[in-house]
Amino acid sequence: MKKSILILMSVQFFIYLGFGLIIPILPEVIVQQGLSEIHVGGLLTVYALASFFTAPLWGALSDRTGRKKLIIIGLIGFSLSFFVFAIFIENIVLLYVSRIIGGIFSGTLYTAVTGFVGDMTTEENRNRYMGLLGMSIGLGFIFGPALGGVLGNISLQAPFYGSGILILLLLVYASIVLKEPERVGEATKRQLLPKGGATFWQYRIRNLFLLSFMVTLILSGVESTFQLFQITTINITPLQVGYLFIASGLVDAAIQGGVVRRIKDGSETKWIYGAQIVTAIGLLLIPFTTSLLWAGFALSVFTAGNALARTALVSLTSKESGGKYGTAAGMTYSMDNLGRIIGPLLFTGLFTGIGGKLYYISAILAILSIVFIYLYRASKKTLRTTAA
């Protein structure tokens, strides 16, 4: 099992590394070609859309045909998307094609990997292994923009060629080492709306789902516009963006590993209030950028608030789920995906019209989203008593 879980962790890492890799490169590609900034949002959105709508189909297929086969197919398709992006980096139509291919096969990999872990684990140890996959996802988000920025300093194509080759090497290793698992646990696949998820919307937990959507919406909006704004303000380079995302990634890790452990049971809502205020402060700082140091400081403040809100929300949602942890996690994941679909297109559209002023709007949204926690606390319709 140890070899298998290491490979599966590597696959998850590369899925989210691939998502983050493009963040410091894409704005530079669009600006150099003199295209509208809206394409930055469009290329991020089509990736999320392709993954969101095809993942349930891949999940059903992996239930019938097996996990390993789908992982192999997914790695082939995912590596292809990187090579297409690198080769046709000056063709906007084929860039969209490459992003759609990447989204489709990232959905393949996500569902096959989570299904693989579901098959080979029991109820007792499943959370542990799912936690390892979650750690891999977090590392991918941290190192993706960093690697994209550093390799992008060599050439804009270099990060994509490098990632495509690494995924092909992982493909060879996985095809040799991975064995189709015996189905010890329940097969798990990603659904658009998790089975039984509609019930949640009758209870106050729905406010936590809506807040999760808002938190991810704002995060994806910053990811898609931050570099565009800094190019016009301080002429930032992809390498410098990579450094900034390394710094903010370390802040994220510090929040996850240090601050979150101090959150006592029952105090989550207070921490979320504070987190959204810190998020808003970070957003308000961005338009006043005059140097790379200030840009890094503003991004790190925003990241601290956003990371704290996300983690506290996950903890509170699991406690409020009435014991239906998996279904609640699936619903949160779906809401996060909706945020990643809508956010980039919405925020880049605003950026083309009002520039850096969109961060004032983002800060207002961060503060207004606190109303969901107020509504959550005001409601007595909870699933916790149901679980008891």
Side-chain angles (χ1 to χ4, degrees):
M1 182 181 285
K2 289 184 178 179
K3 284 186 178 179
S4 295
I5 195 64
L6 284 173
I7 292 173
L8 298 174
M9 287 173 65
S10 299
V11 171
Q12 289 291 73
F13 173 77
F14 274 107
I15 294 173
Y16 288 90
L17 179 105
F19 183 87
L21 189 76
I22 200 170
I23 290 174
I25 302 298
L26 188 55
E28 192 73 21
V29 171
I30 297 303
V31 169
Q32 283 190 9
Q33 295 185 39
L35 300 171
S36 170
E37 290 94 342
I38 196 70
H39 287 296
V40 175
L43 287 164
L44 291 173
T45 293
V46 294
Y47 181 96
L49 272 172
S51 176
F52 185 74
F53 285 110
T54 61
L57 303 176
W58 287 116
L61 184 61
S62 74
D63 285 343
R64 296 196 302 270
T65 64
R67 315 300 186 191
K68 179 179 176 178
K69 185 183 296 184
L70 266 293
I71 288 174
I72 299 302
I73 292 172
L75 288 171
I76 294 171
F78 202 48
S79 65
L80 174 65
S81 72
F82 287 110
F83 290 123
V84 171
F85 195 99
I87 295 169
F88 300 103
I89 199 166
E90 295 183 355
N91 187 317
I92 188 64
V93 174
L94 290 176
L95 290 185
Y96 274 99
V97 170
S98 76
R99 294 297 288 167
I100 292 170
I101 293 172
I104 289 171
F105 288 101
S106 72
T108 312
L109 291 169
Y110 179 86
T111 53
V113 167
T114 53
F116 199 115
V117 174
D119 289 341
M120 72 180 190
T121 57
T122 62
E123 291 288 344
E124 289 73 27
N125 64 7
R126 188 169 303 143
N127 284 344
R128 175 190 169 195
Y129 288 104
M130 288 296 185
L132 290 173
L133 294 185
M135 181 182 72
S136 303
I137 290 171
L139 289 172
F141 271 130
I142 291 172
F143 287 103
L147 182 64
V150 172
L151 291 182
N153 192 51
I154 300 171
S155 77
L156 294 181
Q157 294 100 321
F160 301 96
Y161 280 125
S163 296
I165 292 169
L166 286 174
I167 292 169
L168 288 179
L169 293 174
L170 180 61
L171 164 66
V172 173
Y173 187 58
S175 63
I176 296 170
V177 176
L178 274 186
K179 306 296 180 186
E180 188 66 31
E182 295 181 13
R183 301 203 170 184
V184 177
E186 295 179 0
T188 58
K189 59 179 180 287
R190 189 179 133 218
Q191 300 171 305
L192 289 180
L193 292 176
K195 187 176 180 181
T199 305
F200 283 138
W201 293 90
Q202 301 171 24
Y203 295 86
R204 67 180 189 172
I205 193 175
R206 64 179 178 270
N207 295 297
L208 303 183
F209 295 141
L210 292 170
L211 180 56
S212 182
F213 165 75
M214 289 298 298
V215 167
T216 306
L217 178 83
I218 294 170
L219 173 61
S220 64
V222 171
E223 287 175 342
S224 59
T225 60
F226 181 78
Q227 187 176 351
L228 288 171
F229 176 70
Q230 301 301 345
I231 287 174
T232 60
T233 306
I234 58 172
N235 200 27
I236 201 168
T237 67
L239 178 61
Q240 291 171 331
V241 173
Y243 289 151
L244 294 189
F245 274 101
I246 290 173
S248 66
L250 292 174
V251 170
D252 193 309
I255 294 293
Q256 304 278 356
V259 178
V260 171
R261 290 185 299 175
R262 303 179 183 276
I263 300 178
K264 295 180 180 179
D265 186 35
S267 67
E268 293 91 351
T269 54
K270 294 179 182 178
W271 282 90
I272 293 172
Y273 279 136
Q276 290 301 87
I277 291 171
V278 172
T279 298
I281 291 172
L283 290 165
L284 290 173
L285 290 173
I286 293 175
F288 295 98
T289 299
T290 55
S291 66
L292 187 65
L293 183 64
W294 184 271
F297 174 67
L299 183 62
S300 295
V301 172
F302 166 78
T303 299
N306 189 267
L308 181 55
R310 282 186 284 113
T311 309
L313 263 173
V314 169
S315 175
L316 186 58
T317 302
S318 66
K319 294 174 183 178
E320 191 65 32
S321 66
K324 297 179 180 179
Y325 308 121
T327 309
M331 182 62 72
T332 300
Y333 188 83
S334 293
M335 297 304 289
D336 287 346
N337 268 279
L338 285 175
R340 290 201 172 275
I341 289 168
I342 298 171
L345 210 53
L346 173 64
F347 279 78
T348 50
L350 287 172
F351 180 79
T352 59
I354 60 176
K357 292 179 182 177
L358 76 90
Y359 295 111
Y360 300 138
I361 296 174
S362 303
I364 293 170
L365 289 176
I367 296 298
L368 289 178
S369 66
I370 293 175
V371 74
F372 293 122
I373 290 298
Y374 173 79
L375 293 173
Y376 164 79
R377 295 186 64 174
S379 174
K380 302 299 181 185
K381 198 169 184 182
T382 177
L383 283 166
R384 293 194 188 204
T385 53
T386 303

